[in-house]
Amino acid sequence: MHCYSDSSPEASDELPAELVARVLGEAATLGYGVASVSGGEPFMYQPLPRLLAAAKAAGMRTQLVSNGLAITPSRLKAVTGLLDLLAVSIDGAPDDHDRMRAQAGAFRRLGDRLALVRDSGIPLGLVFTLTMWNVHQIEWAAEFALASGAGLLQIHPLEASGRAIGLADDVPDEIEASAALVECLRLQRAVGCRLTIQVDVATSGGLRQIMACADQHTPPRISDIVSPLVIEPDGMCVPLEYGFPRDYALGNVREASLHDLAASWMERVLPSFASGMARMDARLAEMGDGVVVNSYALAREVLVGAAH
């Protein structure tokens, strides 16, 4: 389950800590075991320690994705013992990172923040943004992760949304995604247990769980079908990723319990959602064996076309 905080100075939407705590407890009873906080910049969300404490009280593991620049000793101290993983985003090697962030020296400053995380004892991960042009940098990213004391390197394809809205030409295609997967498998063998390398791409096999669950006579829990659920800054709950088409949203957690929203979604939306996943699976099959894609991006494309 992902919770997003809108931490920009002009933000007017911010989820109250009490509401987030309630939703996290409900998510745990629905079968979700991990709470992940993204942004914006989560460290700028003042109730962050309360949010993480609520997730821990519900029995969930906790993780946070940060751009790194808001990390300070006092903020790390406030979440020590409440955070199972602090993942910091990097957008390529130093020059590329600075270009993507439009900030000269951003990568150098990031290195200082990583040292603070390492000294805090909070487990560190890195999220590397895969573009159309930087598969060759994944090996550098693995070496940098090891040198930084990270235990996880996650490779996540760039999506042309948010601050990357003008970077559509940089979004990796199927060939680049396939090359990234092969490179990650090679590197994982090389580094062994010193570093876990994950890549956010998929083939058609994983989609069949959604379709199989939708066809069961005994309705499964929503966590058996959709993971993650995403709570956006205005309280809207959507499947899979931030900004997912609202036609497939569960509803707003400000207006109803997550239990009620999930039950309604299973009845109203699941059939069309599963049908969309079937079309997505067929699209992958047409591409041929061994094709690797950003499955969330393809799901968005297929479902948007179905809804309009």
Side-chain angles (χ1 to χ4, degrees):
M1 180 177 185
H2 284 273
C3 298
Y4 276 80
S5 63
D6 193 337
S7 54
S8 61
E10 66 276 9
S12 58
D13 291 324
E14 182 173 283
L15 294 174
E18 296 78 8
L19 174 62
V20 176
R22 186 258 290 172
V23 172
L24 287 170
E26 293 168 347
T29 64
L30 289 170
Y32 292 96
V34 177
S36 180
V37 189
S38 305
E41 172 48 54
F43 277 112
M44 302 300 291
Y45 180 58
Q46 291 187 355
L48 176 64
R50 294 176 62 188
L51 185 159
L52 297 174
K56 281 292 188 182
M60 304 176 84
R61 290 180 54 79
T62 56
Q63 57 190 40
L64 181 154
V65 181
S66 169
N67 64 24
L69 298 183
I71 293 174
T72 65
S74 61
R75 287 174 176 150
L76 290 173
K77 183 177 180 180
V79 299
T80 299
L82 300 174
L83 198 52
D84 294 306
L85 178 69
L86 198 171
V88 177
S89 299
I90 56 174
D91 293 327
D95 289 346
D96 289 336
H97 181 88
D98 289 0
R99 177 181 64 85
M100 293 280 283
R101 300 282 166 151
Q103 296 180 32
F107 189 88
R108 175 181 51 77
R109 293 191 295 274
L110 180 64
D112 296 336
R113 306 307 196 279
L114 295 181
L116 292 175
V117 178
R118 185 168 58 247
D119 293 343
S120 76
I122 297 173
L124 172 66
L126 296 181
V127 180
F128 176 86
T129 303
L130 177 69
T131 72
M132 187 65 184
W133 325 108
N134 67 357
V135 163
H136 65 286
Q137 292 183 3
I138 295 178
E139 182 171 5
W140 166 86
E143 293 172 353
F144 180 74
L146 287 169
S148 301
L152 170 70
L153 174 64
Q154 183 174 350
I155 311 300
H156 184 75
L158 175 71
E159 297 174 23
S161 60
R163 64 181 174 82
I165 194 68
L167 300 175
D169 291 342
D170 293 335
V171 173
D173 61 12
E174 291 86 356
I175 294 174
E176 204 74 0
S178 298
L181 179 58
V182 171
E183 177 69 346
C184 288
L185 292 172
R186 180 186 74 82
L187 289 169
Q188 186 66 81
R189 287 194 295 269
V191 302
C193 62
R194 293 181 295 156
L195 178 70
T196 298
I197 303 175
Q198 298 177 354
V199 55
D200 293 344
V201 295
T203 56
S204 60
L207 302 176
R208 299 196 176 107
Q209 178 184 7
I210 293 174
M211 294 179 283
C213 287
D215 291 336
Q216 290 180 5
H217 295 295
T218 302
R221 297 181 301 179
I222 191 170
S223 59
D224 297 325
I225 300 170
V226 178
S227 183
L229 286 183
V230 177
I231 308 298
E232 299 187 342
D234 63 356
M236 188 64 72
C237 180
V238 298
L240 299 183
E241 65 171 353
Y242 180 86
F244 205 78
R246 291 283 174 102
D247 298 275
Y248 299 92
L250 280 72
N252 199 301
V253 296
R254 294 178 183 268
E255 300 169 0
S257 73
L258 189 58
H259 290 115
D260 289 344
L261 294 176
S264 176
W265 188 90
M266 296 283 281
E267 180 178 346
R268 296 180 300 103
V269 182
L270 176 58
S272 61
F273 186 81
S275 178
M277 293 299 100
R279 290 191 299 276
M280 179 175 164
D281 192 62
R283 178 85 65 87
L284 284 168
E286 291 172 0
M287 294 177 182
D289 293 338
V291 172
V292 177
V293 299
N294 178 348
S295 56
Y296 289 173
L298 182 57
R300 180 194 294 265
E301 176 186 339
V302 169
L303 290 172
V304 167
H308 300 91

PDB file of all heavy atoms in Angstrom, residues 196-233:
ATOM      1  N   THR A 196      20.528  -6.793  -3.181  1.00  0.00           N
ATOM      2  CA  THR A 196      19.352  -7.291  -3.892  1.00  0.00           C
ATOM      3  C   THR A 196      19.005  -6.314  -5.001  1.00  0.00           C
ATOM      4  O   THR A 196      18.852  -5.117  -4.763  1.00  0.00           O
ATOM      5  CB  THR A 196      18.157  -7.435  -2.945  1.00  0.00           C
ATOM      6  OG1 THR A 196      18.468  -8.398  -1.931  1.00  0.00           O
ATOM      7  CG2 THR A 196      16.919  -7.895  -3.698  1.00  0.00           C
ATOM      8  N   ILE A 197      18.887  -6.824  -6.224  1.00  0.00           N
ATOM      9  CA  ILE A 197      18.568  -5.987  -7.375  1.00  0.00           C
ATOM     10  C   ILE A 197      17.183  -6.367  -7.891  1.00  0.00           C
ATOM     11  O   ILE A 197      16.931  -7.532  -8.213  1.00  0.00           O
ATOM     12  CB  ILE A 197      19.611  -6.136  -8.494  1.00  0.00           C
ATOM     13  CG1 ILE A 197      21.011  -5.796  -7.963  1.00  0.00           C
ATOM     14  CG2 ILE A 197      19.265  -5.254  -9.685  1.00  0.00           C
ATOM     15  CD1 ILE A 197      22.130  -6.033  -8.965  1.00  0.00           C
ATOM     16  N   GLN A 198      16.292  -5.387  -7.941  1.00  0.00           N
ATOM     17  CA  GLN A 198      14.939  -5.599  -8.443  1.00  0.00           C
ATOM     18  C   GLN A 198      14.720  -4.697  -9.645  1.00  0.00           C
ATOM     19  O   GLN A 198      15.264  -3.601  -9.718  1.00  0.00           O
ATOM     20  CB  GLN A 198      13.893  -5.286  -7.368  1.00  0.00           C
ATOM     21  CG  GLN A 198      13.987  -6.161  -6.137  1.00  0.00           C
ATOM     22  CD  GLN A 198      12.979  -5.757  -5.076  1.00  0.00           C
ATOM     23  OE1 GLN A 198      12.286  -4.751  -5.202  1.00  0.00           O
ATOM     24  NE2 GLN A 198      12.895  -6.544  -4.022  1.00  0.00           N
ATOM     25  N   VAL A 199      13.875  -5.150 -10.567  1.00  0.00           N
ATOM     26  CA  VAL A 199      13.557  -4.336 -11.743  1.00  0.00           C
ATOM     27  C   VAL A 199      12.048  -4.351 -11.939  1.00  0.00           C
ATOM     28  O   VAL A 199      11.423  -5.415 -11.919  1.00  0.00           O
ATOM     29  CB  VAL A 199      14.315  -4.827 -12.991  1.00  0.00           C
ATOM     30  CG1 VAL A 199      14.073  -6.294 -13.269  1.00  0.00           C
ATOM     31  CG2 VAL A 199      13.997  -3.973 -14.194  1.00  0.00           C
ATOM     32  N   ASP A 200      11.450  -3.174 -12.096  1.00  0.00           N
ATOM     33  CA  ASP A 200       9.992  -3.031 -12.159  1.00  0.00           C
ATOM     34  C   ASP A 200       9.475  -3.207 -13.583  1.00  0.00           C
ATOM     35  O   ASP A 200       8.908  -2.293 -14.187  1.00  0.00           O
ATOM     36  CB  ASP A 200       9.572  -1.660 -11.633  1.00  0.00           C
ATOM     37  CG  ASP A 200       9.847  -1.506 -10.151  1.00  0.00           C
ATOM     38  OD1 ASP A 200      10.064  -2.531  -9.473  1.00  0.00           O
ATOM     39  OD2 ASP A 200       9.855  -0.357  -9.671  1.00  0.00           O
ATOM     40  N   VAL A 201       9.691  -4.404 -14.124  1.00  0.00           N
ATOM     41  CA  VAL A 201       9.119  -4.763 -15.411  1.00  0.00           C
ATOM     42  C   VAL A 201       8.533  -6.160 -15.262  1.00  0.00           C
ATOM     43  O   VAL A 201       8.827  -6.878 -14.300  1.00  0.00           O
ATOM     44  CB  VAL A 201      10.167  -4.737 -16.543  1.00  0.00           C
ATOM     45  CG1 VAL A 201      10.676  -3.327 -16.769  1.00  0.00           C
ATOM     46  CG2 VAL A 201      11.333  -5.678 -16.232  1.00  0.00           C
ATOM     47  N   ALA A 202       7.668  -6.542 -16.196  1.00  0.00           N
ATOM     48  CA  ALA A 202       7.000  -7.833 -16.068  1.00  0.00           C
ATOM     49  C   ALA A 202       6.619  -8.374 -17.433  1.00  0.00           C
ATOM     50  O   ALA A 202       6.532  -7.639 -18.417  1.00  0.00           O
ATOM     51  CB  ALA A 202       5.756  -7.706 -15.194  1.00  0.00           C
ATOM     52  N   THR A 203       6.386  -9.681 -17.477  1.00  0.00           N
ATOM     53  CA  THR A 203       5.807 -10.318 -18.648  1.00  0.00           C
ATOM     54  C   THR A 203       4.372 -10.705 -18.310  1.00  0.00           C
ATOM     55  O   THR A 203       3.861 -10.373 -17.249  1.00  0.00           O
ATOM     56  CB  THR A 203       6.621 -11.556 -19.050  1.00  0.00           C
ATOM     57  OG1 THR A 203       6.698 -12.439 -17.928  1.00  0.00           O
ATOM     58  CG2 THR A 203       8.027 -11.168 -19.473  1.00  0.00           C
ATOM     59  N   SER A 204       3.727 -11.432 -19.192  1.00  0.00           N
ATOM     60  CA  SER A 204       2.283 -11.649 -19.042  1.00  0.00           C
ATOM     61  C   SER A 204       1.910 -12.558 -17.883  1.00  0.00           C
ATOM     62  O   SER A 204       0.788 -12.496 -17.398  1.00  0.00           O
ATOM     63  CB  SER A 204       1.722 -12.233 -20.336  1.00  0.00           C
ATOM     64  OG  SER A 204       2.341 -13.468 -20.642  1.00  0.00           O
ATOM     65  N   GLY A 205       2.823 -13.409 -17.414  1.00  0.00           N
ATOM     66  CA  GLY A 205       2.434 -14.408 -16.417  1.00  0.00           C
ATOM     67  C   GLY A 205       1.811 -13.839 -15.169  1.00  0.00           C
ATOM     68  O   GLY A 205       0.851 -14.373 -14.630  1.00  0.00           O
ATOM     69  N   GLY A 206       2.352 -12.725 -14.656  1.00  0.00           N
ATOM     70  CA  GLY A 206       1.853 -12.166 -13.416  1.00  0.00           C
ATOM     71  C   GLY A 206       0.445 -11.628 -13.515  1.00  0.00           C
ATOM     72  O   GLY A 206      -0.245 -11.468 -12.508  1.00  0.00           O
ATOM     73  N   LEU A 207      -0.021 -11.332 -14.723  1.00  0.00           N
ATOM     74  CA  LEU A 207      -1.370 -10.785 -14.880  1.00  0.00           C
ATOM     75  C   LEU A 207      -2.441 -11.847 -14.668  1.00  0.00           C
ATOM     76  O   LEU A 207      -3.581 -11.525 -14.347  1.00  0.00           O
ATOM     77  CB  LEU A 207      -1.527 -10.201 -16.288  1.00  0.00           C
ATOM     78  CG  LEU A 207      -0.531  -9.107 -16.681  1.00  0.00           C
ATOM     79  CD1 LEU A 207      -0.756  -8.714 -18.129  1.00  0.00           C
ATOM     80  CD2 LEU A 207      -0.698  -7.913 -15.775  1.00  0.00           C
ATOM     81  N   ARG A 208      -2.083 -13.092 -14.831  1.00  0.00           N
ATOM     82  CA  ARG A 208      -3.107 -14.127 -14.789  1.00  0.00           C
ATOM     83  C   ARG A 208      -3.665 -14.328 -13.386  1.00  0.00           C
ATOM     84  O   ARG A 208      -4.750 -14.852 -13.208  1.00  0.00           O
ATOM     85  CB  ARG A 208      -2.539 -15.425 -15.360  1.00  0.00           C
ATOM     86  CG  ARG A 208      -2.120 -15.233 -16.819  1.00  0.00           C
ATOM     87  CD  ARG A 208      -1.903 -16.522 -17.583  1.00  0.00           C
ATOM     88  NE  ARG A 208      -1.607 -16.185 -18.965  1.00  0.00           N
ATOM     89  CZ  ARG A 208      -0.403 -16.276 -19.530  1.00  0.00           C
ATOM     90  NH1 ARG A 208       0.612 -16.699 -18.821  1.00  0.00           N
ATOM     91  NH2 ARG A 208      -0.221 -15.933 -20.794  1.00  0.00           N
ATOM     92  N   GLN A 209      -2.915 -13.889 -12.373  1.00  0.00           N
ATOM     93  CA  GLN A 209      -3.429 -13.968 -11.007  1.00  0.00           C
ATOM     94  C   GLN A 209      -4.679 -13.112 -10.876  1.00  0.00           C
ATOM     95  O   GLN A 209      -5.665 -13.506 -10.250  1.00  0.00           O
ATOM     96  CB  GLN A 209      -2.381 -13.504 -10.007  1.00  0.00           C
ATOM     97  CG  GLN A 209      -2.892 -13.519  -8.565  1.00  0.00           C
ATOM     98  CD  GLN A 209      -1.869 -12.950  -7.594  1.00  0.00           C
ATOM     99  OE1 GLN A 209      -0.836 -12.437  -7.986  1.00  0.00           O
ATOM    100  NE2 GLN A 209      -2.177 -13.034  -6.315  1.00  0.00           N
ATOM    101  N   ILE A 210      -4.666 -11.920 -11.454  1.00  0.00           N
ATOM    102  CA  ILE A 210      -5.816 -11.030 -11.393  1.00  0.00           C
ATOM    103  C   ILE A 210      -7.015 -11.686 -12.057  1.00  0.00           C
ATOM    104  O   ILE A 210      -8.121 -11.721 -11.509  1.00  0.00           O
ATOM    105  CB  ILE A 210      -5.503  -9.685 -12.061  1.00  0.00           C
ATOM    106  CG1 ILE A 210      -4.443  -8.937 -11.252  1.00  0.00           C
ATOM    107  CG2 ILE A 210      -6.750  -8.828 -12.203  1.00  0.00           C
ATOM    108  CD1 ILE A 210      -3.957  -7.662 -11.915  1.00  0.00           C
ATOM    109  N   MET A 211      -6.812 -12.241 -13.252  1.00  0.00           N
ATOM    110  CA  MET A 211      -7.934 -12.826 -13.987  1.00  0.00           C
ATOM    111  C   MET A 211      -8.453 -14.082 -13.306  1.00  0.00           C
ATOM    112  O   MET A 211      -9.659 -14.317 -13.237  1.00  0.00           O
ATOM    113  CB  MET A 211      -7.501 -13.123 -15.420  1.00  0.00           C
ATOM    114  CG  MET A 211      -7.181 -11.851 -16.205  1.00  0.00           C
ATOM    115  SD  MET A 211      -6.639 -12.179 -17.885  1.00  0.00           S
ATOM    116  CE  MET A 211      -4.940 -12.692 -17.609  1.00  0.00           C
ATOM    117  N   ALA A 212      -7.549 -14.893 -12.749  1.00  0.00           N
ATOM    118  CA  ALA A 212      -7.975 -16.109 -12.064  1.00  0.00           C
ATOM    119  C   ALA A 212      -8.773 -15.774 -10.816  1.00  0.00           C
ATOM    120  O   ALA A 212      -9.810 -16.387 -10.536  1.00  0.00           O
ATOM    121  CB  ALA A 212      -6.759 -16.970 -11.710  1.00  0.00           C
ATOM    122  N   CYS A 213      -8.302 -14.792 -10.044  1.00  0.00           N
ATOM    123  CA  CYS A 213      -9.033 -14.399  -8.844  1.00  0.00           C
ATOM    124  C   CYS A 213     -10.408 -13.851  -9.186  1.00  0.00           C
ATOM    125  O   CYS A 213     -11.384 -14.080  -8.471  1.00  0.00           O
ATOM    126  CB  CYS A 213      -8.234 -13.349  -8.062  1.00  0.00           C
ATOM    127  SG  CYS A 213      -6.787 -14.025  -7.224  1.00  0.00           S
ATOM    128  N   ALA A 214     -10.504 -13.116 -10.275  1.00  0.00           N
ATOM    129  CA  ALA A 214     -11.787 -12.539 -10.664  1.00  0.00           C
ATOM    130  C   ALA A 214     -12.800 -13.608 -11.042  1.00  0.00           C
ATOM    131  O   ALA A 214     -14.012 -13.398 -10.931  1.00  0.00           O
ATOM    132  CB  ALA A 214     -11.595 -11.583 -11.828  1.00  0.00           C
ATOM    133  N   ASP A 215     -12.320 -14.775 -11.461  1.00  0.00           N
ATOM    134  CA  ASP A 215     -13.214 -15.849 -11.887  1.00  0.00           C
ATOM    135  C   ASP A 215     -13.588 -16.808 -10.766  1.00  0.00           C
ATOM    136  O   ASP A 215     -14.384 -17.716 -10.973  1.00  0.00           O
ATOM    137  CB  ASP A 215     -12.556 -16.650 -13.023  1.00  0.00           C
ATOM    138  CG  ASP A 215     -12.450 -15.835 -14.309  1.00  0.00           C
ATOM    139  OD1 ASP A 215     -13.250 -14.885 -14.456  1.00  0.00           O
ATOM    140  OD2 ASP A 215     -11.571 -16.144 -15.136  1.00  0.00           O
ATOM    141  N   GLN A 216     -13.034 -16.624  -9.565  1.00  0.00           N
ATOM    142  CA  GLN A 216     -13.332 -17.534  -8.469  1.00  0.00           C
ATOM    143  C   GLN A 216     -14.776 -17.382  -8.018  1.00  0.00           C
ATOM    144  O   GLN A 216     -15.326 -16.277  -8.003  1.00  0.00           O
ATOM    145  CB  GLN A 216     -12.391 -17.256  -7.285  1.00  0.00           C
ATOM    146  CG  GLN A 216     -10.947 -17.649  -7.542  1.00  0.00           C
ATOM    147  CD  GLN A 216     -10.068 -17.350  -6.343  1.00  0.00           C
ATOM    148  OE1 GLN A 216     -10.553 -16.945  -5.296  1.00  0.00           O
ATOM    149  NE2 GLN A 216      -8.772 -17.551  -6.494  1.00  0.00           N
ATOM    150  N   HIS A 217     -15.386 -18.500  -7.626  1.00  0.00           N
ATOM    151  CA  HIS A 217     -16.754 -18.449  -7.105  1.00  0.00           C
ATOM    152  C   HIS A 217     -16.780 -17.839  -5.706  1.00  0.00           C
ATOM    153  O   HIS A 217     -17.726 -17.152  -5.329  1.00  0.00           O
ATOM    154  CB  HIS A 217     -17.360 -19.863  -7.087  1.00  0.00           C
ATOM    155  CG  HIS A 217     -17.524 -20.450  -8.449  1.00  0.00           C
ATOM    156  ND1 HIS A 217     -18.378 -19.916  -9.388  1.00  0.00           N
ATOM    157  CD2 HIS A 217     -16.921 -21.516  -9.039  1.00  0.00           C
ATOM    158  CE1 HIS A 217     -18.313 -20.642 -10.512  1.00  0.00           C
ATOM    159  NE2 HIS A 217     -17.438 -21.613 -10.311  1.00  0.00           N
ATOM    160  N   THR A 218     -15.724 -18.089  -4.914  1.00  0.00           N
ATOM    161  CA  THR A 218     -15.606 -17.468  -3.596  1.00  0.00           C
ATOM    162  C   THR A 218     -14.755 -16.216  -3.746  1.00  0.00           C
ATOM    163  O   THR A 218     -13.571 -16.306  -4.074  1.00  0.00           O
ATOM    164  CB  THR A 218     -14.930 -18.410  -2.591  1.00  0.00           C
ATOM    165  OG1 THR A 218     -15.697 -19.615  -2.503  1.00  0.00           O
ATOM    166  CG2 THR A 218     -14.846 -17.754  -1.214  1.00  0.00           C
ATOM    167  N   PRO A 219     -15.337 -15.036  -3.530  1.00  0.00           N
ATOM    168  CA  PRO A 219     -14.589 -13.793  -3.778  1.00  0.00           C
ATOM    169  C   PRO A 219     -13.333 -13.714  -2.919  1.00  0.00           C
ATOM    170  O   PRO A 219     -13.377 -13.948  -1.711  1.00  0.00           O
ATOM    171  CB  PRO A 219     -15.595 -12.698  -3.385  1.00  0.00           C
ATOM    172  CG  PRO A 219     -16.938 -13.355  -3.502  1.00  0.00           C
ATOM    173  CD  PRO A 219     -16.712 -14.786  -3.107  1.00  0.00           C
ATOM    174  N   PRO A 220     -12.207 -13.398  -3.511  1.00  0.00           N
ATOM    175  CA  PRO A 220     -10.967 -13.230  -2.753  1.00  0.00           C
ATOM    176  C   PRO A 220     -10.934 -11.856  -2.104  1.00  0.00           C
ATOM    177  O   PRO A 220     -11.798 -11.008  -2.336  1.00  0.00           O
ATOM    178  CB  PRO A 220      -9.898 -13.337  -3.840  1.00  0.00           C
ATOM    179  CG  PRO A 220     -10.573 -12.767  -5.049  1.00  0.00           C
ATOM    180  CD  PRO A 220     -12.014 -13.185  -4.945  1.00  0.00           C
ATOM    181  N   ARG A 221      -9.921 -11.627  -1.270  1.00  0.00           N
ATOM    182  CA  ARG A 221      -9.694 -10.285  -0.744  1.00  0.00           C
ATOM    183  C   ARG A 221      -9.115  -9.415  -1.849  1.00  0.00           C
ATOM    184  O   ARG A 221      -8.448  -9.897  -2.753  1.00  0.00           O
ATOM    185  CB  ARG A 221      -8.743 -10.319   0.443  1.00  0.00           C
ATOM    186  CG  ARG A 221      -9.257 -11.079   1.641  1.00  0.00           C
ATOM    187  CD  ARG A 221      -8.261 -11.040   2.785  1.00  0.00           C
ATOM    188  NE  ARG A 221      -6.963 -11.618   2.424  1.00  0.00           N
ATOM    189  CZ  ARG A 221      -5.927 -11.691   3.249  1.00  0.00           C
ATOM    190  NH1 ARG A 221      -6.042 -11.211   4.490  1.00  0.00           N
ATOM    191  NH2 ARG A 221      -4.794 -12.232   2.857  1.00  0.00           N
ATOM    192  N   ILE A 222      -9.325  -8.115  -1.737  1.00  0.00           N
ATOM    193  CA  ILE A 222      -8.802  -7.214  -2.756  1.00  0.00           C
ATOM    194  C   ILE A 222      -7.279  -7.278  -2.808  1.00  0.00           C
ATOM    195  O   ILE A 222      -6.677  -7.106  -3.875  1.00  0.00           O
ATOM    196  CB  ILE A 222      -9.299  -5.771  -2.513  1.00  0.00           C
ATOM    197  CG1 ILE A 222      -8.962  -4.902  -3.743  1.00  0.00           C
ATOM    198  CG2 ILE A 222      -8.725  -5.198  -1.227  1.00  0.00           C
ATOM    199  CD1 ILE A 222      -9.605  -3.533  -3.703  1.00  0.00           C
ATOM    200  N   SER A 223      -6.609  -7.568  -1.687  1.00  0.00           N
ATOM    201  CA  SER A 223      -5.149  -7.655  -1.687  1.00  0.00           C
ATOM    202  C   SER A 223      -4.646  -8.848  -2.490  1.00  0.00           C
ATOM    203  O   SER A 223      -3.466  -8.878  -2.879  1.00  0.00           O
ATOM    204  CB  SER A 223      -4.621  -7.732  -0.248  1.00  0.00           C
ATOM    205  OG  SER A 223      -5.161  -8.853   0.426  1.00  0.00           O
ATOM    206  N   ASP A 224      -5.513  -9.842  -2.759  1.00  0.00           N
ATOM    207  CA  ASP A 224      -5.138 -10.960  -3.610  1.00  0.00           C
ATOM    208  C   ASP A 224      -5.123 -10.559  -5.082  1.00  0.00           C
ATOM    209  O   ASP A 224      -4.559 -11.277  -5.914  1.00  0.00           O
ATOM    210  CB  ASP A 224      -6.116 -12.128  -3.438  1.00  0.00           C
ATOM    211  CG  ASP A 224      -6.123 -12.701  -2.031  1.00  0.00           C
ATOM    212  OD1 ASP A 224      -5.041 -12.722  -1.414  1.00  0.00           O
ATOM    213  OD2 ASP A 224      -7.201 -13.094  -1.554  1.00  0.00           O
ATOM    214  N   ILE A 225      -5.748  -9.431  -5.389  1.00  0.00           N
ATOM    215  CA  ILE A 225      -5.947  -9.032  -6.779  1.00  0.00           C
ATOM    216  C   ILE A 225      -5.130  -7.810  -7.147  1.00  0.00           C
ATOM    217  O   ILE A 225      -4.515  -7.765  -8.208  1.00  0.00           O
ATOM    218  CB  ILE A 225      -7.451  -8.740  -7.031  1.00  0.00           C
ATOM    219  CG1 ILE A 225      -8.276  -9.986  -6.747  1.00  0.00           C
ATOM    220  CG2 ILE A 225      -7.684  -8.238  -8.448  1.00  0.00           C
ATOM    221  CD1 ILE A 225      -9.755  -9.732  -6.740  1.00  0.00           C
ATOM    222  N   VAL A 226      -5.131  -6.803  -6.272  1.00  0.00           N
ATOM    223  CA  VAL A 226      -4.506  -5.522  -6.577  1.00  0.00           C
ATOM    224  C   VAL A 226      -3.473  -5.176  -5.516  1.00  0.00           C
ATOM    225  O   VAL A 226      -3.800  -5.057  -4.332  1.00  0.00           O
ATOM    226  CB  VAL A 226      -5.550  -4.390  -6.649  1.00  0.00           C
ATOM    227  CG1 VAL A 226      -4.861  -3.062  -6.930  1.00  0.00           C
ATOM    228  CG2 VAL A 226      -6.586  -4.678  -7.724  1.00  0.00           C
ATOM    229  N   SER A 227      -2.238  -5.031  -5.941  1.00  0.00           N
ATOM    230  CA  SER A 227      -1.184  -4.578  -5.036  1.00  0.00           C
ATOM    231  C   SER A 227      -0.148  -3.820  -5.864  1.00  0.00           C
ATOM    232  O   SER A 227       0.348  -4.343  -6.867  1.00  0.00           O
ATOM    233  CB  SER A 227      -0.528  -5.765  -4.330  1.00  0.00           C
ATOM    234  OG  SER A 227       0.437  -5.327  -3.418  1.00  0.00           O
ATOM    235  N   PRO A 228       0.123  -2.571  -5.488  1.00  0.00           N
ATOM    236  CA  PRO A 228      -0.390  -1.909  -4.284  1.00  0.00           C
ATOM    237  C   PRO A 228      -1.700  -1.168  -4.523  1.00  0.00           C
ATOM    238  O   PRO A 228      -2.115  -0.967  -5.664  1.00  0.00           O
ATOM    239  CB  PRO A 228       0.719  -0.890  -3.977  1.00  0.00           C
ATOM    240  CG  PRO A 228       1.223  -0.508  -5.341  1.00  0.00           C
ATOM    241  CD  PRO A 228       1.180  -1.781  -6.156  1.00  0.00           C
ATOM    242  N   LEU A 229      -2.313  -0.779  -3.415  1.00  0.00           N
ATOM    243  CA  LEU A 229      -3.305   0.279  -3.437  1.00  0.00           C
ATOM    244  C   LEU A 229      -2.579   1.586  -3.154  1.00  0.00           C
ATOM    245  O   LEU A 229      -1.629   1.619  -2.374  1.00  0.00           O
ATOM    246  CB  LEU A 229      -4.376   0.068  -2.357  1.00  0.00           C
ATOM    247  CG  LEU A 229      -5.417  -1.020  -2.568  1.00  0.00           C
ATOM    248  CD1 LEU A 229      -6.420  -0.994  -1.418  1.00  0.00           C
ATOM    249  CD2 LEU A 229      -6.139  -0.862  -3.904  1.00  0.00           C
ATOM    250  N   VAL A 230      -3.039   2.664  -3.756  1.00  0.00           N
ATOM    251  CA  VAL A 230      -2.378   3.960  -3.618  1.00  0.00           C
ATOM    252  C   VAL A 230      -3.367   4.977  -3.057  1.00  0.00           C
ATOM    253  O   VAL A 230      -4.465   5.141  -3.596  1.00  0.00           O
ATOM    254  CB  VAL A 230      -1.851   4.453  -4.972  1.00  0.00           C
ATOM    255  CG1 VAL A 230      -1.219   5.840  -4.835  1.00  0.00           C
ATOM    256  CG2 VAL A 230      -0.842   3.465  -5.550  1.00  0.00           C
ATOM    257  N   ILE A 231      -2.992   5.625  -1.956  1.00  0.00           N
ATOM    258  CA  ILE A 231      -3.785   6.717  -1.410  1.00  0.00           C
ATOM    259  C   ILE A 231      -3.137   8.018  -1.854  1.00  0.00           C
ATOM    260  O   ILE A 231      -2.008   8.333  -1.463  1.00  0.00           O
ATOM    261  CB  ILE A 231      -3.858   6.667   0.132  1.00  0.00           C
ATOM    262  CG1 ILE A 231      -4.320   5.278   0.603  1.00  0.00           C
ATOM    263  CG2 ILE A 231      -4.794   7.757   0.655  1.00  0.00           C
ATOM    264  CD1 ILE A 231      -5.687   4.876   0.139  1.00  0.00           C
ATOM    265  N   GLU A 232      -3.836   8.778  -2.690  1.00  0.00           N
ATOM    266  CA  GLU A 232      -3.301  10.024  -3.224  1.00  0.00           C
ATOM    267  C   GLU A 232      -3.529  11.161  -2.231  1.00  0.00           C
ATOM    268  O   GLU A 232      -4.311  11.016  -1.281  1.00  0.00           O
ATOM    269  CB  GLU A 232      -3.933  10.303  -4.586  1.00  0.00           C
ATOM    270  CG  GLU A 232      -3.614   9.198  -5.594  1.00  0.00           C
ATOM    271  CD  GLU A 232      -4.078   9.502  -7.003  1.00  0.00           C
ATOM    272  OE1 GLU A 232      -4.939  10.393  -7.179  1.00  0.00           O
ATOM    273  OE2 GLU A 232      -3.582   8.847  -7.938  1.00  0.00           O
ATOM    274  N   PRO A 233      -2.854  12.304  -2.416  1.00  0.00           N
ATOM    275  CA  PRO A 233      -2.920  13.380  -1.411  1.00  0.00           C
ATOM    276  C   PRO A 233      -4.316  13.907  -1.127  1.00  0.00           C
ATOM    277  O   PRO A 233      -4.580  14.414  -0.035  1.00  0.00           O
ATOM    278  CB  PRO A 233      -2.038  14.475  -2.025  1.00  0.00           C
ATOM    279  CG  PRO A 233      -1.070  13.739  -2.876  1.00  0.00           C
ATOM    280  CD  PRO A 233      -1.839  12.597  -3.457  1.00  0.00           C
TER     281      PRO A 233
END
